[in-house]
Amino acid sequence: MHDWQPFLGLPLWNWLFVFPSVFAFYCLFYRDAARCFLSPIWKPLDRVYQISGIIAASFMVLILLLIVGQMVARWSGMVFPGGTEFAGYAMACTSFFALAYTLNHGAHIRVSIFLNMNNFLRFWLDAFAMLIAAIIATYFCLLYTS
């Protein structure tokens, strides 16, 4: 149970909470310096998001083909074993791969309602979401290592 505790000489909660929080506060107070530092990283990440969107679309097509295959098998009196499970896995893959792409393009409907109100609210909601994610990651890390 203590596989990750001494990761690179530090406990896991340092890597999951302390360092990202320090980096977030640095980005909060030194926006221009952080923007210069992070701008070379954004273009490759946009490519990764684009590729994950393509993979998500491919899994959506796979869901369609699996459902059509199940329909054809049922009409012809044959059995399509595992079709429902495969469609479920494809749906999980679709939602996982589509998350970054849709958030990057502002396509999450419920999220964009709040984020498009104004820039001030967008900034603080984003910061609050990152804080909650860091707290949850730290909680699970401490739960796992104890």
Side-chain angles (χ1 to χ4, degrees):
M1 288 299 257
H2 297 280
D3 297 346
W4 278 72
Q5 191 171 14
F7 184 72
L8 294 178
L10 293 172
L12 185 59
W13 62 271
N14 281 326
W15 294 103
L16 292 177
F17 183 72
V18 175
F19 293 142
S21 297
V22 169
F23 184 67
F25 280 117
Y26 174 78
C27 293
L28 176 66
F29 294 114
Y30 301 105
R31 291 183 188 177
D32 294 331
R35 183 168 292 155
C36 291
F37 175 75
L38 292 173
S39 62
I41 299 171
W42 289 336
K43 191 168 185 172
L45 280 179
D46 286 339
R47 285 192 192 120
V48 169
Y49 300 154
Q50 184 78 25
I51 291 169
S52 69
I54 292 169
I55 293 171
S58 301
F59 276 112
M60 287 182 82
V61 171
L62 181 63
I63 292 170
L64 171 72
L65 295 175
L66 285 167
I67 291 173
V68 169
Q70 284 179 324
M71 290 169 44
V72 169
R74 188 175 303 132
W75 292 335
S76 63
M78 298 172 56
V79 177
F80 187 167
T84 306
E85 288 82 9
F86 292 137
Y89 290 133
M91 189 176 299
C93 291
T94 299
S95 61
F96 174 75
F97 282 112
L99 286 174
Y101 179 78
T102 53
L103 188 61
N104 196 31
H105 286 84
H108 284 285
I109 296 170
R110 293 183 182 117
V111 173
S112 63
I113 288 173
F114 294 111
L115 293 181
N116 291 337
M117 286 184 181
N118 58 29
N119 287 335
F120 178 79
L121 187 62
R122 172 185 291 173
F123 175 78
W124 287 107
L125 283 176
D126 202 14
F128 179 71
M130 291 297 162
L131 176 68
I132 295 300
I135 290 170
I136 290 170
T138 303
Y139 171 74
F140 283 118
C141 172
L142 293 175
L143 185 71
Y144 177 72
T145 58
S146 58

